[in-house]
Amino acid sequence: MSSTKKRLILFGVIWLSLQLILVFCKKPIGFISDEILYKRIAYSLFRFEPALSWHYPILYPMLISIGFLFGGYFYEAMLVVNILAKGIGLIIIWKLLRKETDEGRALYLLALIGFSPIYFIYSRVLMAENLSCILLIINVLYHEHYRKKGLEEECANRWMYTVGASLLSLALFWTKYLMLVTLPVFCLFWCIPHLKTGRKTAAKAFSFLREGFFYTFIVVICIIAYAGIYAIRVKQPFTLDLLTGTMGFAAASGPSNNGYAMSAEFKWILSYVLYAVLGAVFVIVGMIADTKKGLLEKNRAIVILNMILIVVLVYVSARHSTHVDYNEGT
C-alpha cells in the first residue's frame, strides 16, 4: 500500500471519527424551525406522497427521508445520512481532484474541503447545506475537467459529458433554490472552450451556441417533466403557476413577499463577503503559498469561475437576508 493511500485512509478515519463526535457527543443545537419543515417534507416523500410544501427543493428532503426506515430513531438516522453523504462526497471529490493534480496536492485540498466550516460543522443540523456544499464543489471540479476532456476527444462523447454537467447543476438547484443563479454561470463556463479552438469563427460560434442550447434544453426539459409528474400526482392542470411553484418562485422570502425581485442591502452584502473570505481563508493561504509554482496561472479558468460564483451567491444570499422574517426591522 502506497504512502498516499495510507494517509488517505488515516484522513478518512480521523474525519469520520470527529464527525461522529461532533454530531452525537455534543449537546444538540437548539430548536431550528427549518428542520421541522424538512422533516415534514421528508415524511411525505417517504410515504410516496407529493411534497407538502415548495418552500424547499425536493432533493435534500428525499435524501434524509431514508431516516424514517429506522422508526423512532429517524432523527439520529438522518444525522448519520448527513455524515455518510459527505463521506461519499469526499470520495467523489478525491477522484475529481486526482484528475487535475498529483496525489499529494489532492489530499491536501481534500483535507481543506473536509474540515472547512460549511462542510464539517453543518452535519449537526438537518439543513440542505449538507448536500449543497457537496454538489457545489463537485460541480466546479466536474465542469473544469470534463469541459476540456470533451474537446480533446473531438466531441465523440461530448454529449454524455454535457448531460452529466447539466444534471449536476440541476441537482444543485433542486437542493437550494438560491442556486438558480449558478445555472447560467455553469452553462457559460461549459461552452466557452468552443470559442478557443483552432476552428474558423463561424464554426466556433455554432459549437458554442449548440452546446449552450443542449445544456439548457436538458435542464429545462427536466424541470418541465418534474412539474408534469407533480401535476399528475395531485390531479391538477399543468399551468405556469404550477411550474413556477415547483421551481420555488411561489415561496415568499419574507414579510415583503417580493420573491426573487428583492434588492440586497449593502450591510448584508458586506456580511456575506466577510463570511466567504473567512470560510476560504485556508484555501487562500494555500494559493498564496504556491504562487511561485505557477498554480494560479495554470488554474486561471477555475479561479475565475469561483470568483463569479462567489459574487452571485453573495448577492442572492444577501438579498434573501434583507427581508426574511427573522431579520425584519434589522
Side-chain angles (χ1 to χ4, degrees):
M1 184 181 294
S2 66
S3 59
T4 302
K5 287 186 177 179
K6 290 179 181 178
R7 287 185 291 168
L8 184 62
I9 293 173
L10 179 61
F11 163 75
V13 171
I14 293 174
W15 181 86
L16 180 59
S17 300
L18 292 177
Q19 277 280 280
L20 292 172
I21 292 172
L22 174 73
V23 174
F24 294 108
C25 297
K26 293 189 67 175
K27 183 178 179 181
I29 295 178
F31 173 79
I32 300 177
S33 60
D34 285 353
E35 285 196 349
I36 299 297
L37 189 50
Y38 274 123
K39 285 185 284 188
R40 288 176 177 174
I41 298 173
Y43 187 62
S44 64
L45 295 174
F46 176 74
R47 299 176 61 184
F48 296 99
E49 298 173 353
L52 58 83
S53 171
W54 294 116
H55 189 75
Y56 296 115
I58 194 173
L59 209 54
Y60 182 68
M62 184 181 296
L63 177 66
I64 62 173
S65 66
I66 299 171
F68 288 110
L69 292 172
F70 297 86
Y73 295 97
F74 72 90
Y75 181 71
E76 291 78 7
M78 288 176 177
L79 294 176
V80 171
V81 169
N82 279 346
I83 298 174
L84 290 177
K86 288 182 176 179
I88 295 172
L90 285 175
I91 295 174
I92 297 173
I93 291 169
W94 163 257
K95 296 292 185 181
L96 291 171
L97 285 172
R98 280 293 292 114
K99 295 178 182 296
E100 292 294 309
T101 187
D102 59 85
E103 288 185 346
R105 179 161 299 282
L107 184 57
Y108 163 69
L109 293 172
L110 189 71
L112 289 177
I113 292 169
F115 287 107
S116 62
I118 185 65
Y119 206 99
F120 190 78
I121 296 176
Y122 263 87
S123 303
R124 297 185 65 195
V125 293
L126 300 179
M127 301 286 283
E129 281 76 7
N130 289 291
L131 183 57
S132 64
C133 67
I134 304 172
L135 290 174
L136 183 58
I137 296 168
I138 291 176
N139 262 288
V140 170
L141 295 175
Y142 181 96
H143 279 71
E144 167 61 11
H145 178 74
Y146 286 101
R147 71 177 192 145
K148 295 182 296 185
K149 187 174 179 62
L151 290 177
E152 292 169 359
E153 297 183 2
E154 299 296 332
C155 297
N157 297 314
R158 180 71 179 182
W159 69 272
M160 291 191 300
Y161 300 133
T162 304
V163 170
S166 58
L167 292 179
L168 274 173
S169 60
L170 179 62
L172 185 60
F173 169 62
W174 275 342
T175 302
K176 282 191 75 69
Y177 286 136
L178 292 182
M179 294 297 180
L180 176 68
V181 294
T182 67
L183 287 173
V185 176
F186 280 125
C187 181
L188 185 62
F189 183 75
W190 184 260
C191 301
I192 279 180
H194 288 277
L195 299 178
K196 298 180 180 180
T197 60
R199 291 176 291 178
K200 294 182 179 180
T201 302
K204 291 180 183 180
F206 175 77
S207 296
F208 175 84
L209 293 174
R210 179 199 62 200
E211 203 71 19
F213 174 81
F214 186 41
Y215 193 112
T216 305
F217 175 78
I218 295 170
V219 172
V220 171
I221 203 68
C222 287
I223 290 175
I224 293 175
Y226 176 53
I229 293 172
Y230 177 79
I232 294 172
R233 288 297 307 276
V234 298
K235 298 180 180 180
Q236 292 183 8
F238 185 91
T239 63
L240 181 60
D241 287 340
L242 184 140
L243 175 64
T244 56
T246 59
M247 294 178 66
F249 287 96
S253 297
S256 57
N257 199 16
N258 288 332
Y260 283 90
M262 293 191 299
S263 297
E265 291 185 6
F266 178 75
K267 63 180 181 181
W268 285 109
I269 292 178
L270 179 60
S271 297
Y272 279 100
V273 167
L274 294 176
Y275 179 79
V277 171
L278 178 63
V281 64
F282 296 110
V283 178
I284 294 171
V285 170
M287 288 176 59
I288 294 174
D290 291 318
T291 50
K292 293 183 179 180
K293 298 182 180 180
L295 291 175
L296 189 61
E297 181 67 23
K298 180 182 177 181
N299 299 288
R300 179 186 297 177
I302 199 169
V303 170
I304 293 174
L305 171 63
N306 280 282
M307 290 176 63
I308 295 174
L309 289 172
I310 288 173
V311 169
V312 297
L313 289 175
V314 162
Y315 178 78
V316 296
S317 299
R319 186 226 63 208
H320 173 73
S321 293
T322 300
H323 290 123
V324 289
D325 295 317
Y326 48 79
N327 289 323
E328 185 178 7
T330 60

